[in-house]
Amino acid sequence: MYRYDEFDAAFVAGRTAQFADQVKRRLSGELSEDQFRPLRLMNGLYLQLHAYMLRVAVPYGTLSSRQMRKLAHIARVYDRGYGHFTTRQNIQYNWPKLKDIPVILDELASVEMHAIQTSGNCIRNVTTDQFAGAAADEIIDPRPVAEILRQWSSLHPEFSYLPRKFKIAITGAPQDRAAIRFHDIGLQAAVNGAGEIGWEVWVGGGLGRTPMIAKLINSFVPNEHLLAYLESIMRVYNRYGRRDNKYKARIKILVHEEGLETIKGQVEAEFAEVRGGVLTLPSEEVDRISAYFAPPDFAQQSLTKLDVAYESIIDPAYGRWLDNNINAHSQPGYASVTVSLKPVGGAPGDATDTQMEVVADLAETYSHDELRVTHEQNLVLPHVALADLRTVYDALVAAQLADGNTNTIADMICCPGLDFCALANARSIPIAQEISRKFAEPARQQEIGELKIKISGCINACGHHHVGHIGILGVEKKGGELYQITLGGDATEHASVGKIIGPGFEAENVPDAIEKLVDFYIAQRQGTDETFIQAYRRLGEAPFKEALYGTA
Amino acid sequence: MGLPKLAPAQAAHDKLKALGILALNGMFDEMDALSVLRYAVSDVLPGDLAIVSSFGADSAVLLHMVAQVDPSMPVYFLETGKHFAETLDYVETLKKQLGLINVHAIHPSSDDVKRFDPNGDLWETDPDSCCHIRKTEPLEPVTEQYGGWVTGRKRYQTSERGVLPHFELTSDDRIKVNPLAYFSDADVVEYRQKHSLPEHPLYAKGYKSIGCAPCTSIVAEGEDPRAGRWRGLNKKECGIHYDFSGAIANPMTAAARHTLWKDGAFIADPFKEWVEGTAPSEARYTHVPLREFLANRADYLASQHPLGLMISPGEKIEDVVEDLSRFASIAIKFPAFSDGRGYSTARLLVERFKYAGEIRAVGDVLQDQIPHMRRCGFNALVVTHEPSRQALIENRLPEMALFYQPVGVTEVPLGTRPFLRRVS
Ligand code: HEM
Ligand code: SF4
Ligand code: SF4
C-alpha cells in the first residue's frame, strides 16, 4: 500500500504545525469562532452537540495494522475508548478536547495519517471500493489513481473555498460498491475500443435534501488527462456553482438547473484549454504510484475452495459467516473478509480500542498487513488465505466481531443522529438498535437475505437513507420524533432513489413497520433468489404500501 | 454655576464626567455656536482652553468668534514648514483684523525633520509620518498644558464626522469643544459675509479645504471639500483631529496604517475607491467596476488616466480580455473569505490571459487565505484585519512550504520532479 515519502511526511508535519498554531490562536481568542470554523473544518474538526468531533481521513479506506493500532491508541488516550467508522470510510472521534487536537494530529502524522480536508467546502477524502486490489471482478485497482487524486486535491489553492463540500468516489469494478453515482464526481473504470483503460466520469450525484443520481458527463477520459478533466469540472463548479443558498450549492444543483449539456459544454471548453498542460499525468508517475499498490506476495495455496454447506452443518454460525462475510478474491486460495461492526443492539460502525487492536493483529498476521474501512461501516481484511479463515473467525468471535450478518437486514448504515449530531432532528442509533434486536435471530436474517436498511437522523442523509432498499429518515413533528420510511433505493450501478410511501411512524413502531414490509416480501417473492429490492421492482410500490398501511 | 473645572484623569470620575458632557450637549441650540464657546470659556474651562487653527479656507469664522469671546485665548498655528505663502500671509491678516493677541506658531523639531524627512518628500512617501513629525509631535507638549480645546470641525464635512457633538470627552480626559459642529458650508459663507471676514487668498482659486501646499489640491464642484486633501492617498484625517492621547502612531510605525501590502511592506496606495457617478473621463487611480467599464468602455479606453479594474464574484474576466493591458491594477473582490471564486479569476488572469500587472485581493483578506491567494497569482493585498496585518509584518503567515499540485505559471515546469510536487 501507499507509503509516504519524505515529501508527504513533511507536508503532513507542516500542515499539523500550521493547524496547531491556528488552534492556539483560537484558544487565545485571536481568532473568532467564525474565522476558526473554516480552518478547523478543513482539518476535520467539527463542533458537535457535546464536544468537538475529529474526523480522521482514511484515504480510500486503506489502513495498515500500525495505523489501526494508532487509531486504537487515540481512542483510548484521547477519547472514551472507542471510535466510529463512517460512510465516508473515515473514523470519527466524538470526544476529543480542543487542546489535545494538535497532539492527536502529531500522533496521526507519525503513522502517515491526518485529518486534512475531511470537512469544509473543499475536495474531501476520496472514497473507493473496499475490495479494491482484491476483488475478483475488478478491471483495475483504483487506488493508485485515488492516491494521485488525494495528492492533487490536498490544499488545492484554487479549490479550498468551493460553494460547498465536494466528494469524489472511484471504483475499478463493474459492480459498484462505492456508490459512485451518489457523489459529486464518480469515476468508474472503463475500457475503450482500443483496449485502453480510462474512466467514465459521472457528475452531480448526491444525497442530502435533494437526492440526485449522477449523470454521465464523459464516457471515457484517458488516465493521462484525468486530472485536467477533473480540474475543468472543479473550475466550472467553483465559478458558477450557487453560493446564495447553501442548500443549493452542491454541484448536483448546478448540473440540475443548468442541464447536463450546458455544464458539459463549459467543462469541455475548459478542458480544451488545460488539456495537455501541466496536469498531464506522465505514465511513469502512474507507474511509480502503482508500485506502492502492487499485490502482496500471495503464496501458492492448496486450499482453493470452501465447502460452505459442509461447514454450516458442523457450525451454523461459522457457515453463515462464510456465506455472508466473505468476498471472492482475484487470487486463487484467498478471500476478503468483512469484519462486521453491526452487533445486535450496538451502534453501527463503533469499534472499541481493543477491537481495533484485535483487527490490527489479524491484519498483520493473516491479511498482508492490510485493512479496509467500508462505506457501509464495517472493516475488511482484504487478503486472507482460505486456509486461515477458521483461525481468523475464532479470533473475531473472541473479540465479539464475528457476526455473520454482512449484507443482511442487520447490516444497517446509520448516522450518529441526535445522540451526537448538532443538526439532527431525531435519534437514529436507537432505531438501528431496536431493529437489530427485532431481527436478532440469525436464521431469520438468513431467511430474509440481502436487504439494506439505511437510517439518517435528518435530511442531510449522512446515513444514506435515500439509497436504502428500506430507508428510514428521522424528522421532527410537533416537537416529537417521527420516522419516514422510503422504499426502493439502491446505491449500486442500478442506482435509484427511494420513495416515501406514506406517513411516518413513532420510534417504537418502526421495527414493527419494517417487519410488515419484510413479511410481505417473503410472502410474495419468487423463490429465495429474488431479493427484497428485486421483488420491490417487480411488484411496485402499491402492494408494499398496502401491506404497511392497510387498504384505504 | 454648572460644571466645576474638571480634575485630570481620575477613573472614578470618568462616568460622572461623561454624563456631564452629555448634559452639556443638551444645553445648546444646534446653531448657537457663540454661546457654546462663551460657556466653555467662562464656566467649563476658564483659563484652560486653547485653539489650534489651520488658518485655512474657513478658519476665519471660528477665529472671529474666539476674538469676540476672548481675544486673549491662546491660538496655535502649526507652522509645518509646508504651507502656501498665501496661508502665512493670511495668518497675519486675520491676526490684525480680528484683534487676536495670543497667536503662536508651532514648529516641528528640526532634528526630526532632518532625521525623517531629509529630502522634504516625506509627504509623498509616507504622509502619515509627515503629519506626525510636523503636526502631532510638536503639538503634543502644547496640548498637555490645557484642559480642553476648541476645534472648527463640522459634522457635515466627511462621512466619518456625521455625529459630531458640541462637547466631547477625549480618552485622556480632555474636553473638545466644537462650536461649529452643526454649521454647513452655506452657514459658514453666510457668517463670513455677514461679518465681512477676509477670505483665504486661495479660496477663490478653487481651494476649499486648505492644509499644507503639497497635500492640497483643487476640489471639483460638488466634490467633498476635503477631497482635495491628500488626493489619491487614501488619507482623510489629519493626525491632529484624532484624540490627543497618543492614538496617533509615532513615525516609525505610522506606515502600519497603510492597507496595501505589496513587495513585503505596507505602502501608500495610489488608488482610491471608485465613486459611483464618476465620469469615465475623470476616473483615475481607481478600480472601475467591471460592469461600469463595460457600460462605458469606449470612454474609458479613450481616457489617458491610469486606471484599475474591480472584479466582483460572479463577473467573468473573459468579458474584458481584450482590454486587460489597459489596467495598471486589477482588484479581485472577496466579499467574504469563504467565497472562493476570486481564486479562479486570478489563475485565469495570470495563466491563461498572461496579465502581468498588479492583481490585488480586496475585501475579506485574512492571513489564513493569503498563501492560497499568492499561489493563485495575487501580488498585492489590501488588508485591514489587524491580526492578519501583524502576521504579514512579522512574516509569520500560516504557510505551507510544500505543494502537491502545480498552479500558476512558475510553480512546476512540465516534467520535473515527481509529478505535482514542489518545495517553495
Ligand atoms: C456527526 C456530525 C455530522 C454532521 C454535522 C454532518 C453534516 C452533514 C451535512 C450538513 C450534510 C449535507 C451536506 C449537503 O448536502 O450539502 C452531510 C452529508 C453527508 N454526511 Fe454527514 N454529518 C455528520 C456525520 C456524518 C457521519 C458520521 C457520516 C458517515 C457515517 C456522514 C456522512 C455523510 C455523507 C455520506 C453525506 C452525503 C451525502 C451527500 O452526498 O449529500 N456524516 N453531513
Ligand atoms: S443525517 Fe443529519 S442527524 Fe445524521 S449525522 Fe447527518 S446531519 Fe447529523
Ligand atoms: S499635510 Fe502633508 S505636508 Fe503637511 S504635514 Fe501632513 S503630510 Fe506633511
Side-chain angles (χ1 to χ4, degrees), chain B residues 80 82 123 127-128 130-131 134-135 212 214-215 229-230 235:
Chain B
T80 60
K82 291 284 178 187
W123 63 271
D128 288 334
C130 185
C131 280
R134 294 180 188 279
K135 296 177 177 173
C212 297
C215 300
R229 305 282 290 278
W230 300 286
K235 176 172 160 69

Side-chain angles (χ1 to χ4, degrees), chain A residues 211-475:
Chain A
M212 299 229 180
I213 300 173
K215 299 170 184 70
L216 186 64
I217 187 168
N218 194 315
S219 57
F220 190 86
V221 176
N223 238 348
E224 60 170 340
H225 296 311
L226 183 63
L227 287 185
Y229 196 82
L230 295 185
E231 187 143 310
S232 304
I233 296 179
M234 296 312 302
R235 182 167 287 160
V236 167
Y237 172 56
N238 189 40
R239 298 184 74 191
Y240 306 123
R242 289 182 60 172
R243 291 175 187 260
D244 57 329
N245 179 341
K246 81 178 226 190
Y247 300 121
K248 306 207 164 175
R250 296 288 289 268
I251 196 173
K252 63 189 172 189
I253 303 291
L254 182 68
V255 173
H256 179 71
E257 288 183 349
E258 302 293 318
L260 179 65
E261 287 315 308
T262 307
I263 298 303
K264 190 177 161 85
Q266 289 169 343
V267 169
E268 295 290 339
E270 188 62 38
F271 183 49
E273 296 276 357
V274 299
R275 182 192 173 108
V278 69
L279 284 175
T280 309
L281 259 173
S283 63
E284 314 84 72
E285 179 61 13
V286 180
D287 292 346
R288 188 182 74 81
I289 301 279
S290 297
Y292 288 110
F293 298 96
D297 295 327
F298 291 118
Q300 196 66 28
Q301 297 289 338
S302 47
L303 180 64
T304 56
K305 252 183 89 78
L306 284 174
D307 191 344
V308 179
Y310 171 78
E311 300 288 354
S312 298
I313 296 166
I314 308 285
D315 179 349
Y318 181 50
R320 268 193 305 280
W321 186 78
L322 291 176
D323 222 14
N324 293 324
N325 294 29
I326 300 304
N327 200 70
H329 203 285
S330 55
Q331 181 71 16
Y334 281 84
S336 300
V337 169
T338 300
V339 178
S340 169
L341 298 180
K342 313 291 173 62
V344 173
D350 277 3
T352 65
D353 51 344
T354 18
Q355 286 179 325
M356 289 187 233
E357 279 165 353
V358 167
V359 177
D361 291 346
L362 290 174
E364 186 170 23
T365 316
Y366 300 106
S367 182
H368 295 270
D369 205 25
E370 257 195 61
L371 271 166
R372 305 289 171 78
V373 182
T374 84
H375 88 271
E376 290 175 320
Q377 303 180 279
N378 292 313
L379 300 174
V380 163
L381 299 165
H383 315 294
V384 181
L386 297 184
D388 293 329
L389 284 177
R390 181 74 214 197
T391 320
V392 168
Y393 174 75
D394 289 340
L396 290 174
V397 170
Q400 297 179 316
L401 287 169
D403 293 277
N405 57 11
T406 300
N407 291 330
T408 73
I409 189 167
D411 191 10
M412 287 170 276
I413 290 185
C414 176
C415 82
L418 201 52
D419 295 299
F420 294 101
C421 173
L423 304 176
N425 288 330
R427 293 164 301 155
S428 44
I429 293 172
I431 300 295
Q433 289 168 326
E434 281 315 307
I435 295 173
S436 79
R437 289 193 187 103
K438 178 133 209 138
F439 296 93
E441 184 51 51
R444 176 80 163 136
Q445 295 170 8
Q446 209 63 4
E447 181 197 15
I448 300 167
E450 182 182 329
L451 172 53
K452 308 230 171 196
I453 296 184
K454 310 195 185 208
I455 310 171
S456 304
C458 82
I459 194 64
N460 287 320
C462 303
H464 292 193
H465 68 275
H466 296 298
V467 291
H469 300 158
I470 299 177
I472 300 174
L473 165 65
V475 294

Side-chain angles (χ1 to χ4, degrees), chain A residues 2 5 7-8 10-11 15 18 22 25 38 151-152 154 158 161 231 235 238-239 243 270 285, chain B residues 316 318 337 340-341 344 347-348 352 367-369 372 385 398 400 402-405 412 419 421:
Chain A
Y2 188 69
D5 59 16
F7 185 96
D8 297 294
F11 181 87
R15 174 60 166 205
Q18 178 186 26
Q22 288 159 346
R25 283 190 279 138
Q151 298 191 10
W152 160 74
S154 287
E158 185 179 350
Y161 296 91
E231 187 143 310
R235 182 167 287 160
N238 189 40
R239 298 184 74 191
R243 291 175 187 260
E270 188 62 38
E285 179 61 13
Chain B
K316 289 178 69 178
E318 285 89 340
F337 69 84
R341 285 176 278 190
S344 290
R347 283 193 69 191
L348 289 172
R352 186 159 311 159
Q367 56 183 320
D368 297 289
Q369 286 81 44
H372 281 342
H385 178 246
M400 293 284 298
L402 306 175
F403 310 143
Y404 276 112
Q405 59 292 99
V412 177
F419 174 71
R421 290 156 165 226

Side-chain angles (χ1 to χ4, degrees), chain B residues 8 24 47 72 161 304 372:
Chain B
L24 279 177
S72 67
R161 295 174 170 190
Q304 297 299 311
H372 281 342

